[in-house]
């Protein structure tokens, strides 16, 4: 498997994409009624649902008098992976992702605006096909927007990998992950060009790392544009009764 | 379950509505809310369905794995229900908060499917005593808007209908141990007979009357309800499971009334579900609707 290359001689990847291409992204805001904000996002075959509750009064032991407490939970449906999972949450991988989600969201939410409060962000993966963390974070961002929570800007994540002949690849699928390519995950604030979270598996040569990071950031910017279109479309629909759409024109 | 805070006056309003057979949303006592059902939502599962009954949202994925039959029933396959209450539904379900409800739902389904005339486990057997299929019916509760039992059972039935079990094409005997060759052609598969599969109907006692398909608000007004598992065979309805839910108690006569209402409602619901599933199945080519899932 180690000699296996992620990029064919024709310059195509295992699923037929070119190196810089993302998988198809479809998203929708406000899929549920009961949460304060919710979103559905699918990127290729990775499908994620996110729900946001709050801001509401924080639990006493968690309460912070200066800023908001962000409470996350990442879980995966037992049927989401090719092999059936025994537990939907609580395993190490899920706990790790929960932690990283909170970290990236903290960087984006204007935490000082909601002292003594708590925001719950719940993410449910219904189908996993690579880049789970990135898709979960993007869905969480959309749900936060839907809930009307003040963000500094969109926080968007994207993954990137590197082929044998040092060509960086955007948005790694599960097939490419298990084929043994190194993976870099970056959560960024694309407008101000800041990185909120970064994680990599395996290894990259120091000379190649900037190239891969640049590719992931380019992916983030592309995803941000798609998300922004979705938010605008959602707002048009929401406000159409109040004649917003005409005002926006 | 998701708690809705209701005042005394609101409860009285709902109660009076039920008494006059005109509920808050305009339904009569034996009407269901509109529902949406879609199959084949999750590609990683052998069968899947998503049901949305007003605000109740259920996603079911069925996976099949090869297992060894128990020595007690060497000619039977296995079926296991697993319910996960997602925190998306309500923050109370975070961590282990939803486990109690999840267990109750899974146990009810297991009981309802237990009878051999309700669900034929023998059809899941591959080689008696050696190999059988085990069906994992994994239910994910995404939003609670009342009447979870009915929604969960309908979604499970639809997902089981949608399940495609790959055909075992050949078995090579190797020193007394059979080795199975499983077909990897997605069209070379068997389906599960769903005619007898039970559905659950919750009959909720509000005041002196019984209603089906209670909304979350109506559930708050009721002290006791009865869950009835209705299974059809040879055009007759059988009760495959029943249990009471809630803290209150029911008079014997009321219970019979509830049972009757549950069975009639269950029969209609069952017919409607099977009709819808078969209609969707008969649509091929261009007539087939594209899967919309959560994007609708």
């Amino acid at each position: 498997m180690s000699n296996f290359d992620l990029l064919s001689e024709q310059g195509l990847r295992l699923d037929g994409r070119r190196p810089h291409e993302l998988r198809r992204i479809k998203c929708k805001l406000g899929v549920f009624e009961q949460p304060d904000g919710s979103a559905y996002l699918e990127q290729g075959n990775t499908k994620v649902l996110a729900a946001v509750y709050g801001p509401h009064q924080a639990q006493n032991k968690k309460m912070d008098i200066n800023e908001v407490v962000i409470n996350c939970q990442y879980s995966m449906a037992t049927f989401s992976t090719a092999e059936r999972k025994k537990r939907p949450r609580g395993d190490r991988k899920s706990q790790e992702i929960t932690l990283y989600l909170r970290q990236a969201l903290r960087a984006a939410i204007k935490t000082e605006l909601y002292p003594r409060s708590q925001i719950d962000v719940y993410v449910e993966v219904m189908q996993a096909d690579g880049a789970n963390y990135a898709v979960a974070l993007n869905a969480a961002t959309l749900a936060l927007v839907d809930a009307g929570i003040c963000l500094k800007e969109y926080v968007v994540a994207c993954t990137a990998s590197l082929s044998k002949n040092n060509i960086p690849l955007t948005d790694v699928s599960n097939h490419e992950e298990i084929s043994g390519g190194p993976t870099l995950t970056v959560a960024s604030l694309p407008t101000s060009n800041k990185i909120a979270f970064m994680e990599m598996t395996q290894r990259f040569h120091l000379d190649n790392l900037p190239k891969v990071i640049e590719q992931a950031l380019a992916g983030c910017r592309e995803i941000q544009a798609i998300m922004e279109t979705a938010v605008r479309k959602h707002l048009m629909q929401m406000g159409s009764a109040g004649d917003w759409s005409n005002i926006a024109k | 379950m998701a708690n809705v805070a209701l005042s005394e006056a609101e409860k009285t309003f709902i109660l009076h509505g039920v008494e006059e057979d005109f509920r808050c949303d305009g339904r009569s006592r034996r009407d269901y809310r509109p529902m949406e059902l879609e199959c084949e939502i999750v590609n990683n599962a052998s069968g899947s369905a998503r049901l949305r009954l007003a605000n109740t949202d259920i996603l079911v994925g069925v996976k099949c794995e090869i297992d060894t039959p128990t020595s007690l029933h060497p000619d039977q396959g296995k079926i296991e229900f697993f319910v996960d209450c997602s925190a998306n539904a309500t923050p109370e379900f975070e961590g282990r908060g939803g486990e109690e409800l999840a267990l109750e739902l899974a146990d009810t389904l297991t009981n309802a499917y237990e009878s051999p005339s309700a669900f034929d486990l023998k059809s899941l057997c591959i080689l008696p005593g050696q190999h059988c299929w085990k069906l994992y019916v994994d239910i994910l509760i995404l939003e609670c808007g009342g009447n979870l039992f009915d929604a969960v059972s309908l979604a499970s039935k639809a997902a089981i209908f949608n399940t495609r079990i790959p055909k075992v094409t050949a078995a090579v005997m190797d020193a007394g141990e059979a080795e199975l060759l499983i077909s990897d052609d997605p069209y070379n598969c068997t389906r599960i007979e769903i005619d007898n599969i039970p559905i659950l109907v919750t009959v909720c006692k509000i005041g002196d009357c019984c209603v089906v398909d209670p909304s979350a608000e109506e559930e708050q007004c009721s002290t006791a309800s009865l869950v009835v598992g209705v299974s059809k065979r040879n055009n007759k309805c059988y009760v495959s499971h029943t249990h009471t839910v809630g803290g209150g108690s029911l008079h014997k006569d009321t219970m019979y009334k509830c049972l009757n209402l549950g069975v009639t409602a269950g029969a209609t619901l069952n017919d409607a579900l099977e009709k819808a599933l078969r209609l969707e199945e008969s649509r091929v080519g261009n007539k087939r609707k594209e899967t919309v899932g959560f994007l609708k």
Side-chain angles (χ1 to χ4, degrees):
Chain A
M1 226 29 177
S2 58
N3 284 325
F4 187 77
D5 200 352
L6 296 174
L7 208 57
S8 74
E9 282 170 17
Q10 289 77 28
L12 294 176
R13 290 155 72 177
L14 294 166
D15 46 9
R17 282 184 287 159
R18 299 201 176 276
H20 65 277
E21 279 174 347
L22 296 167
R23 291 174 288 174
R24 187 210 299 256
I25 296 176
K26 287 182 187 169
C27 53
K28 186 175 164 31
L29 280 82
V31 280
F32 297 129
E33 304 279 323
Q34 282 163 1
D36 296 301
S38 59
Y40 169 77
L41 192 131
E42 63 176 69
Q43 195 161 337
N45 273 330
T46 306
K47 299 175 183 173
V48 172
L49 284 162
V52 169
Y53 288 87
H56 54 81
Q57 190 178 3
Q59 291 167 12
N60 275 336
K61 55 181 176 189
K62 283 188 187 167
M63 191 189 284
D64 189 328
I65 53 162
N66 296 315
E67 56 174 36
V68 71
V69 177
I70 300 165
N71 178 35
C72 286
Q73 182 177 277
Y74 170 91
S75 43
M76 291 173 88
T78 40
F79 49 77
S80 62
T81 45
E83 285 269 306
R84 182 179 180 270
K85 274 175 75 84
K86 283 226 167 57
R87 286 192 298 172
R89 62 187 80 88
D91 54 322
R92 286 188 78 141
K93 190 77 201 155
S94 307
Q95 281 174 337
E96 194 187 337
I97 293 184
T98 304
L99 211 68
Y100 294 160
L101 275 177
R102 188 185 313 148
Q103 191 184 330
L105 292 176
R106 259 185 76 104
I109 295 173
K110 282 185 168 279
T111 49
E112 71 282 1
L113 289 183
Y114 311 100
R116 297 169 196 271
S117 316
Q118 176 178 342
I119 297 171
D120 297 316
V121 181
Y122 302 119
V123 182
E124 186 79 47
V125 177
M126 40 182 281
Q127 199 171 314
D129 187 36
N132 296 345
Y133 170 78
V135 184
L137 182 66
N138 298 342
T141 308
L142 285 180
L144 283 170
V145 171
D146 187 39
I149 286 166
C150 276
L151 302 178
K152 290 177 190 132
E153 59 179 287
Y154 285 70
V155 55
V156 184
C158 187
T159 55
S161 182
L162 194 69
S163 75
K164 281 268 148 48
N165 39 8
N166 293 337
I167 297 175
L169 314 168
T170 330
D171 192 13
V172 189
S173 72
N174 186 41
H175 202 116
E176 288 167 328
E177 264 173 28
I178 55 174
S179 301
T183 311
L184 178 88
T185 310
V186 176
S188 76
L189 307 165
T191 318
S192 57
N193 244 332
K194 281 181 193 155
I195 291 174
F197 169 77
M198 187 160 98
E199 187 214 20
M200 56 178 282
T201 60
Q202 296 187 28
R203 58 177 195 174
F204 290 100
H205 192 275
L206 191 58
D207 293 348
N208 292 327
L209 196 58
K211 208 158 59 175
V212 182
I213 294 180
E214 270 316 310
Q215 186 83 349
L217 287 175
C220 287
R221 283 192 290 273
E222 244 176 277
I223 297 173
Q224 190 207 16
I226 296 170
M227 283 164 59
E228 227 174 68
T229 324
V231 170
R232 279 176 200 281
K233 195 177 145 207
H234 176 71
L235 287 177
M236 291 285 184
Q237 277 170 357
M238 291 291 292
S240 58
D243 210 27
W244 288 7
S245 48
N246 285 329
I247 296 167
K249 274 176 204 161
Chain B
M1 247 169 256
N3 276 325
V4 212
L6 284 186
S7 66
E8 278 308 309
E10 283 170 308
K11 282 188 181 173
T12 321
F13 183 75
I14 291 176
L15 193 92
H16 285 173
V18 170
E19 267 170 17
E20 286 172 29
D21 205 7
F22 190 76
R23 289 150 79 178
C24 293
D25 38 15
R27 291 182 286 159
S28 77
R29 286 196 287 261
R30 36 180 68 220
D31 281 343
Y32 268 78
R33 291 169 288 178
M35 38 187 129
E36 284 167 34
L37 178 68
E38 194 173 14
C39 289
E40 262 187 272
I41 297 262
V42 185
N43 306 353
N44 278 339
S46 319
S48 58
R50 179 211 179 195
L51 182 101
R52 193 168 170 88
L53 170 68
N55 268 350
T56 306
D57 212 314
I58 314 282
L59 182 67
V60 181
V62 181
K63 270 186 179 290
C64 40
E65 278 175 21
I66 289 195
D67 203 358
T68 23
T70 53
S71 49
L72 205 60
H73 303 287
D75 57 343
Q76 287 187 0
K78 294 173 182 171
I79 185 164
E80 193 185 294
F81 292 94
F82 176 81
V83 181
D84 178 24
C85 297
S86 166
N88 281 21
T90 153
E92 287 161 43
F93 289 158
E94 194 188 329
R96 315 185 64 143
E99 245 166 44
E100 207 170 295
L101 175 66
L103 267 178
E104 190 183 358
L105 284 164
D107 283 348
T108 311
L109 280 172
T110 314
N111 285 335
Y113 278 60
E114 209 170 19
S115 152
S117 44
F119 185 76
D120 183 21
L121 282 173
K122 284 187 178 145
S123 65
L124 295 177
C125 183
I126 302 169
L127 263 177
Q130 293 192 26
H131 296 289
C132 68
W133 286 108
K134 182 168 187 180
L135 284 190
Y136 289 97
V137 184
D138 294 318
I139 300 156
L140 186 63
I141 295 171
L142 293 168
E143 201 174 9
C144 298
N147 204 10
L148 278 179
F149 284 93
D150 301 27
V152 161
S153 74
L154 287 169
S156 306
K157 186 165 177 168
I160 291 175
F161 174 76
N162 184 241
T163 302
R164 283 161 173 81
I165 302 176
K167 271 199 180 128
V168 179
T169 43
V172 192
M173 291 298 264
D174 183 22
E177 281 280 303
E179 220 167 87
L180 304 177
L181 289 176
I182 295 158
S183 162
D184 45 12
D185 175 5
Y187 292 98
N188 192 17
C189 60
T190 48
R191 303 287 292 271
I192 300 167
E193 197 54 56
I194 58 152
D195 291 347
N196 301 340
I197 288 184
I199 55 166
L200 303 171
V201 176
T202 313
V203 185
C204 195
K205 184 175 170 274
I206 299 172
D208 292 329
C209 309
C210 302
V211 298
V212 295
D213 189 25
S215 64
E217 289 80 17
E218 283 168 336
E219 273 174 356
Q220 287 287 301
C221 302
S222 138
T223 48
S225 2
L226 189 75
V227 178
V228 192
V230 186
S231 158
K232 256 188 129 178
R233 191 151 42 93
N234 305 331
N235 274 325
K236 282 187 197 133
C237 283
Y238 294 84
V239 176
S240 74
H241 169 79
T242 173
H243 81 271
T244 51
V245 190
S249 54
L250 291 165
H251 190 267
K252 191 179 65 176
D253 295 342
T254 323
M255 196 163 91
Y256 289 136
K257 222 168 74 185
C258 287
L259 267 174
N260 273 327
L261 175 61
V263 171
T264 31
T268 330
L269 194 59
N270 205 11
D271 288 342
L273 174 72
E274 283 182 17
K275 209 175 128 194
L277 285 173
R278 300 216 191 277
L279 179 73
E280 200 50 48
E281 185 79 0
S282 65
R283 287 200 177 121
V284 279
N286 294 336
K287 284 184 191 149
R288 181 152 223 149
K289 286 183 202 143
E290 213 179 310
T291 322
V292 283
F294 292 88
L295 290 167
K296 197 187 156 207

